[in-house]
Amino acid sequence: MKYLCPTLFLAALFGTAALAQQQPISIIPQPVSVQAQPGTFRLTKTTSIHYGQLPAQYAADALVKKLNQATGYALRAIPGDRGAIQFAINTTPDPALGAEGYTLDATPKQVIIRANQPAGLFYGMQSLVQLLPKEVEGARAATVAWTVPAVRITDQPRFGWRGIMLDVSRNFFAKEEVKRYIDQLAALKYNTFHWHLTDDNGWRIEIKSLPKLTEIGAWRVERAGKFGSRDAPKPGEPAKSGGFYTHDDIREVVQYAADRYVTIVPEIDVPGHSMAALAAYPELSCTKAQVMVNPGTAFSEWYGNGTFKMLVENTLNPSDENVYAFMDKVLTEVASLFPGQYIHVGGDECYKGYWANDPGCQALMKKLNLRHVEDLQGYFMERVAKIVQAKGKKMIGWDEILEGGVPGDAAVMSWRGVKGGIEAAQAGHNVVMTPTTFAYLDYNQGDATIDPPIYATLRTRKSYSFEPVPDGVDPKRILGGQGNLWTEQIPTMRYAEYMTYPRAWALSEVYWSPKEAKNWPNFVQRMEKQFSRADVAGINYSKAIYDAIIRTSTKDGKLMLELEGEVPGLDIFYSIDDTMPDQFSPRYSGPVALPDGPINLRVITYRAGKPIGHLITLKRDDLVKRR
Ligand code: ACM
């Protein structure tokens, strides 16, 4: 030791100490490579921010806007190559970075973000924002030390399609709400916003050549209460609830998204899910019966194995040429409004009962030599695909489009598990993975006695565990994946956020980060940092990850209880004696045989001696039902 150069020794010691003191580096989605370096960069009111080339200006300006709001400084991004914060497009593209990757080098003197393309600079800028203190997310100036830990990051996405779908039919969201949602998604490096614009409960996009679609189809009667069990419209009752986007609104949102490197995939859901369109143009169905835009009544019966029956007609008539003329008009305007290559045409959950009884459909089946009425959907999709192609676009549809034979170049969105995705990929189609089991953001996140229950439970840990490329599938066929937010039970944007996060944080990592980088305990630490950033930003999110997972089974005639924490470090306490549980109650350490009798189970989680999860109470009957 005594032969070591004293200054080197001090430097080594000091460097380590500086690293240890630094704020931890916590970015979602986890970058490909993060190497912490000694020291800290400090942003002040005189920090210079430069962009090397014009295409780099957008990311620099976006950073400045965010910084000025949070710091109260009057920073300005200017052309140049000597900024303390420097944005630069690589003059020789770095093949390791692709179109969306970036490098971020932060030293005590300078932060340099480099990329091959502007999108990469935007993502590097988003990582830099996450390196700053949480107050950077605030809408008002805060007084904190605006420090960035020195670090070297190299990053690029695993998949080119990283999406979130928002259903604006079941509940209408104003364009400003949609923009805010897209802004949040872009910060997580999502690049696709799938806009579910039409369904049984409202048609949300103006089609100038078919004005009744929004004059009638965008409006339904006011109803409160649980979706699916509401009262039907009464004769003459005014339909005042709803809304739609004009062409100008759509162009505005498309541009807003494009500014954030987000492509919008519009969805016109046909031939099923078309009740709102039929409310406007009833002549397009088989029965031609006048239907109303549905306010959330029980209009279908489900038999538990995926089969179902519609009690009200909601399908377009595939044997009517007027239907294809209608689709042509709709898709002409949709194609002119959305610059992206894909148009989603739905194809899901189409009930064939009205087709089966329709003489026109029967004649068409005979002409086409089709034995099963289901095969008429293949014919319909093929016709629609031709229209989509004629507008210079590509078709994408839900995995039901596989059932009647998928049109040549159509992409498939696998939602009923990954089976459809595997089949489509093996048949040479491109696939977007969004299975209910991992990616349905409408499912309740925690215990269904705490979170408003819906079709199923999907916990954040489960979303995080998703692997989008199934074994035996050519990874090139998997474009990427999505989370889908259906809004039957989501009446406000605030609640849409609650349902989106933290699962959309988990999925952003599934679709962006290397498979090998996934690590649940590590993600949990970063998710908790993200909670406090969301608090500053005023973004809602669920804390269901702190609630106990409660399961039961039967063993030797006894009702057995199993409890589990979703995140590491939770202590779970319970009572079955009608006392309120706390840290002095029995601590769960393994399966418990519950006594007979009318017991109530109460469960609470603690962390580091403090209650953290919800109190969950279940009666014996509820526990028996869970076996
Ligand atoms: C779907 O969830 N019906 C695609």
Side-chain angles (χ1 to χ4, degrees), residues 348-349 398 415 440 486:
D348 59 321
E349 298 174 321
W398 299 110
W415 73 280
Y440 264 41
W486 302 99

Side-chain angles (χ1 to χ4, degrees), residues 346-364:
D348 59 321
E349 298 174 321
C350 176
Y351 175 65
K352 314 296 188 320
Y354 297 96
W355 297 3
N357 294 322
D358 180 69
C361 288
Q362 284 161 3
L364 179 61

Side-chain angles (χ1 to χ4, degrees), residues 1 4 6-20:
M1 233 11 195
L4 196 70
T7 47
L8 256 185
F9 172 73
L10 275 177
L13 194 73
F14 193 75
T16 317
L19 265 184

Side-chain angles (χ1 to χ4, degrees), residues 165 170 196 199 267 269 273 302 344 346-349 398-400 413 415-416 434 436 440 442-443 484 486 488:
M165 187 213 77
R170 274 56 174 273
H196 184 78
D199 213 302
E267 181 182 354
D269 197 354
H273 286 276
W302 290 81
H344 200 303
D348 59 321
E349 298 174 321
W398 299 110
D399 59 48
E400 283 93 334
M413 207 167 252
W415 73 280
R416 296 174 301 173
T434 180
T436 53
Y440 264 41
D442 56 327
Y443 288 5
N484 293 339
W486 302 99
E488 288 98 314

Side-chain angles (χ1 to χ4, degrees), residues 24-31 464 509 517-529 568:
I25 293 163
S26 177
I27 297 173
I28 293 178
Q30 178 66 33
Y464 189 77
E509 196 142 318
K518 283 211 326 207
N519 178 325
W520 173 246
N522 178 280
F523 175 75
V524 170
Q525 289 178 10
R526 288 178 290 117
M527 171 167 51
E528 293 196 281
K529 291 259 163 30

